[in-house]
């Protein structure tokens, strides 16, 4: 009887554990969706002064999720990275002011359009000579690369006789209008409207041109239940008036705005954003230290391979160094973060992808530093040690490497600084390091010059401190012989 009871208890226990572990996992997987976005596209998605993700897209998505009984995890990876990650299956969907086009329909399934955009022309607030398109003859106008505005000005440049400049970001466009490098700028009307609300000295001078429609996107043929929930929730929000309230909150110039810290001054910028900047700096330093340790292990190993007597080891080292040094760092990052998940189906976190990218890249250069340091030691010492009966390993350990390391130290310091600065490239895969943190802040307040200056000063201070510490270490090593 006791045995039967014990057996029953065990079965009940394992049944409960199974339900708890797997049942809970399945339930969470069914109700929590990972959604990608680009938080540098105010007023549709951006980070407010409280470091919260807000905007028309974010508020709509949260309201729909609440109405339809699912939850979302927002990943702010940038527009291009979000597109790639949805296609790679790393994200369940994306919402980022994405215009529905026939080409995009080949790769994505879109929701019912949730916003009809439009293009307007804006000029400097003090400009009195440009009031309509016919005033643009001989002048220079700008728009964002790949945008509807870019297509519009390219299509009409011969008709109105203006020159075209295409720029990556809205804040740079607006700065160019202020500096006189552009006479007019074309952009989506909510984006320009938000910039004017933030204090940009611009004014809209034309009526809105009909633009495309924005849609929520999932990978073609996948996550159809999420798409249905989005459509059902959107329909309900439009019916009960919640949709219009959300749009008016960000687009209507008469709508009341929440109290914010003045970010037009350096003091206001630092006071309001120092936590975000320190967080970005911490991630930059962590990424650099971890990747450099791994890169040093790879580099030392391959450097020794490269000076060994074995042809096979030399071939392995040379092959690796040539391949890695031949691939631009951004391409390598994209391949690891986007290409590998497509090939293997394994999801890779952007931080892991960043560490792997920097480690592989710096490892190749450190291998050459190690090879150069060893080759700089006179060959006669190697021959003398071997003639005295020391093995290859003992010769390297006791004679060659102690001298070579002293020669390598300045190059190691230089490579570390290069790796630290290379972390900025990883913002392209959505890693929110120091530079990406700055871009997020600029997207909200459009103070690009001041924010980039603050970030530059932070980099200079950090790199100078690290370089001085490294120089002290170098002198101590040299002194201790």
């Amino acid at each position: 009887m006791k045995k039967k009871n014990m057996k029953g208890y065990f079965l009940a226990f394992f049944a409960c554990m199974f339900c708890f572990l797997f049942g809970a996992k399945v339930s969470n997987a069914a109700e929590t969706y990972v959604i990608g976005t680009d938080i540098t596209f105010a007023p549709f998605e951006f980070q407010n002064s409280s470091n919260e993700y807000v905007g028309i897209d974010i508020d709509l998505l949260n309201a729909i999720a609440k109405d339809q009984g699912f939850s979302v995890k927002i990943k702010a990876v940038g527009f291009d990275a979000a597109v790639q990650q949805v296609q790679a299956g790393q994200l369940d969907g994306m919402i980022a002011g994405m215009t529905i086009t026939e080409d995009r329909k080949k790769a994505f399934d879109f929701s019912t359009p949730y916003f009809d955009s439009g293009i307007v022309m804006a000029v400097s607030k003090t400009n009195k000579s440009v009031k309509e398109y016919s005033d643009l003859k001989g002048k220079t106008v700008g728009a964002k690369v790949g945008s509807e505005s870019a297509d519009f000005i390219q299509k009409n440049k011969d008709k109105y006789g203006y020159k075209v400049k295409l720029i990556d970001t809205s804040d740079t466009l607006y700065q160019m209008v202020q500096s006189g490098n552009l006479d007019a700028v074309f952009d989506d009307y909510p984006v320009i409207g938000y910039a004017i609300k933030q204090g940009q000295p611009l004014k809209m001078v034309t009526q809105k041109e009909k633009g495309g429609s924005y849609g929520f996107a999932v990978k073609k043929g996948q996550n159809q239940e999420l798409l249905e929930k989005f459509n059902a929730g959107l329909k309900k929000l439009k019916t009960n008036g919640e949709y219009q309230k959300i749009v008016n909150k960000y687009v209507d110039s008469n709508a009341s705005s929440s109290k914010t810290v003045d970010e037009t001054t350096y003091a206001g910028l630092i006071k309001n954003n120092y936590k975000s900047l320190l967080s970005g700096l911490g991630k930059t330093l962590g990424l650099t230290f971890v990747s450099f340790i791994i890169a040093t292990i790879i580099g030392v190993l391959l450097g020794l391979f490269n000076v060994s007597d074995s042809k096979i080891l030399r071939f392995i080292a040379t092959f690796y160094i040539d391949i890695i040094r031949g691939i631009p760092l951004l391409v390598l990052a994209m391949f690891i973060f986007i290409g590998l998940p497509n090939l293997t189906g394994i999801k890779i976190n952007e931080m892991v992808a960043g560490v792997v990218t920097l480690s592989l890249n710096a490892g190749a250069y450190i291998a050459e530093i190690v090879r150069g340091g060893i080759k700089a030691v006179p060959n006669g010492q190697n021959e003398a040690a071997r003639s005295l009966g020391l093995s290859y390993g003992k010769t390297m350990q006791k004679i060659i490497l102690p001298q070579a390391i002293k020669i390598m130290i300045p190059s190691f310091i230089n490579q570390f600084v290069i790796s630290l600065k290379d972390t900025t490239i990883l913002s392209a895969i959505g890693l929110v390091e120091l530079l990406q943190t700055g871009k997020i802040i600029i997207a909200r307040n459009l103070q690009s010059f001041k924010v980039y200056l603050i970030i530059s000063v932070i980099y200079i201070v950090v790199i100078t401190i690290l370089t001085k510490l490294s120089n002290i270490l170098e002198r101590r090593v040299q002194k201790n012989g």
Side-chain angles (χ1 to χ4, degrees):
M1 186 68 183
K2 282 185 178 177
K3 282 186 177 178
K4 278 189 176 180
N5 284 341
M6 285 297 290
K7 189 177 179 182
Y9 291 146
F10 273 120
L11 286 173
F13 174 76
F14 283 119
C16 289
M17 288 299 293
F18 181 85
C19 291
F20 175 76
L21 290 174
F22 295 96
K25 189 173 180 181
V26 169
S27 175
N28 285 338
E31 296 179 354
T32 301
Y33 298 98
V34 183
I35 308 299
T37 191
D38 172 13
I39 54 171
T40 61
F41 189 49
F44 289 93
E45 48 265 334
F46 60 101
Q47 196 173 50
N48 65 14
S49 55
S50 302
N51 297 323
E52 299 165 336
Y53 297 152
V54 295
I56 296 172
D57 288 359
I58 303 298
D59 287 9
L60 274 179
L61 183 61
N62 286 331
I64 290 170
K66 185 180 178 183
D67 180 75
Q68 294 294 307
F70 64 89
S71 58
V72 292
K73 181 181 178 184
I74 301 293
K75 289 193 73 175
V77 295
F79 187 86
D80 291 339
V83 167
Q84 300 289 340
Q85 288 190 49
V86 171
Q87 290 181 315
Q90 298 214 68
L91 294 173
D92 296 313
M94 67 175 287
I95 185 165
M98 189 176 187
T99 304
I100 302 171
T101 65
E102 292 303 318
D103 284 340
R104 286 174 176 165
K105 282 182 179 178
K106 295 173 184 173
F108 297 95
D109 286 326
F110 285 97
S111 67
T112 305
Y114 65 82
F115 191 87
D116 292 322
S117 185
I119 303 163
V120 293
M121 181 173 77
V123 298
S124 169
K125 202 171 183 178
T126 57
N127 188 327
K128 296 179 180 176
S129 61
V130 178
K131 297 177 181 176
E132 53 191 27
Y133 298 149
S134 57
D135 296 328
L136 293 174
K137 189 172 183 180
K139 300 188 182 301
T140 305
V141 305
K144 274 194 305 185
V145 176
S147 64
E148 283 189 312
S149 302
D151 294 339
F152 180 82
I153 62 174
Q154 291 282 14
K155 182 180 174 183
N156 292 287
K157 68 177 181 181
D158 292 333
K159 182 178 178 182
Y160 296 109
Y162 52 72
K163 291 175 280 186
V164 169
K165 277 190 179 178
L166 300 179
I167 310 296
D168 281 335
T169 60
S170 293
D171 60 283
T172 306
L173 280 172
Y174 304 154
Q175 293 288 337
M176 289 177 73
V177 173
Q178 291 177 47
S179 64
N181 290 315
L182 287 177
D183 296 292
V185 60
F186 286 74
D187 210 342
D188 292 359
Y189 80 91
V191 179
I192 290 186
Y194 179 82
I196 293 172
K197 282 182 72 175
Q198 297 304 306
Q200 288 292 317
L202 300 172
K203 60 181 178 183
M204 290 186 266
V205 291
T206 59
Q207 293 296 314
K208 181 177 69 175
E209 297 283 348
K210 188 176 185 309
S213 299
Y214 295 166
F216 174 75
V218 298
K219 186 177 181 180
K220 196 163 188 66
Q222 295 188 8
N223 289 314
Q224 296 302 305
E225 79 290 347
L226 173 58
L227 212 52
E228 290 172 7
K229 288 177 182 176
F230 187 93
N231 286 334
L234 180 63
K235 186 177 179 182
K236 199 167 178 181
L237 292 184
K238 285 187 173 180
T239 302
N240 63 22
E242 184 66 20
Y243 169 86
Q244 201 55 48
K245 285 182 185 175
I246 291 173
V247 173
N248 288 345
K249 179 180 174 183
Y250 295 99
V251 176
D252 185 1
S253 60
N254 294 318
S256 60
S257 57
S258 57
K259 186 181 178 182
T260 57
V261 175
D262 179 14
E263 293 193 337
T264 59
T265 64
Y266 287 103
L269 273 172
I270 293 171
K271 182 181 179 183
N272 214 30
N273 300 292
Y274 75 93
K275 289 182 181 176
S276 299
L277 291 169
L278 287 177
S279 174
L281 176 61
K283 196 167 282 187
T284 294
L285 291 174
L287 184 65
T288 306
F289 279 112
V290 172
S291 62
F292 197 74
I293 290 169
I294 298 171
T296 301
I297 296 170
I298 295 172
V300 169
L301 194 62
L302 290 173
L304 292 174
F305 281 9
N306 219 349
V307 296
S308 75
D309 296 331
S310 169
K311 287 184 179 179
I312 296 174
L313 293 181
R314 288 203 305 275
F315 172 78
I316 292 171
T318 304
F319 181 77
Y320 176 88
I321 293 166
D322 288 346
I323 292 293
I324 295 297
R325 291 204 307 183
I327 302 174
L329 186 58
L330 180 58
V331 177
L332 181 63
M334 287 294 183
F335 175 76
I336 291 169
F337 189 53
I338 306 296
L340 283 184
N342 270 312
L343 290 174
T344 63
I346 300 172
K347 297 181 180 180
I348 300 177
N349 178 280
E350 61 269 17
M351 190 69 181
V352 174
V355 169
V356 172
T357 302
L358 287 179
S359 300
L360 292 177
N361 183 68
Y365 290 94
I366 290 175
E368 285 296 88
I369 292 172
V370 172
R371 184 186 65 81
I374 292 173
K375 290 287 185 184
V377 178
N379 194 41
Q381 296 192 31
N382 181 37
E383 293 172 354
R386 299 299 295 272
S387 66
L388 291 173
L390 290 178
S391 65
Y392 176 80
K394 284 288 183 187
T395 302
M396 292 299 290
Q397 181 185 351
K398 299 290 185 183
I399 308 296
I400 305 299
L401 285 179
Q403 299 177 72
I405 287 172
K406 292 178 185 176
I407 299 169
M408 296 174 202
I409 286 177
S411 299
F412 266 98
I413 295 169
N414 190 45
Q415 184 58 47
F416 182 83
V417 172
I418 291 172
S419 292
L420 192 146
K421 291 194 283 190
D422 280 348
T423 57
T424 57
I425 294 175
L426 300 176
S427 63
I429 62 171
L431 195 61
V432 188
E433 38 67 66
L434 185 55
L435 178 61
Q436 183 67 3
T437 302
K439 288 180 180 177
I440 292 169
I441 295 169
I442 291 168
R444 180 182 70 243
N445 57 32
L446 302 170
Q447 300 293 324
S448 54
F449 175 77
K450 291 185 176 75
V451 174
Y452 283 134
L453 184 60
I454 291 170
I455 289 175
S456 300
V457 170
I458 292 173
Y459 270 114
I460 289 170
V461 170
V462 170
I463 289 173
T464 301
I465 291 172
L466 290 173
T467 304
K468 295 295 180 188
L469 288 174
S470 301
N471 289 339
I472 292 171
L473 174 66
E474 180 188 353
R475 284 198 293 273
R476 287 190 176 181
V477 171
Q478 299 286 359
K479 186 178 178 182
N480 293 331

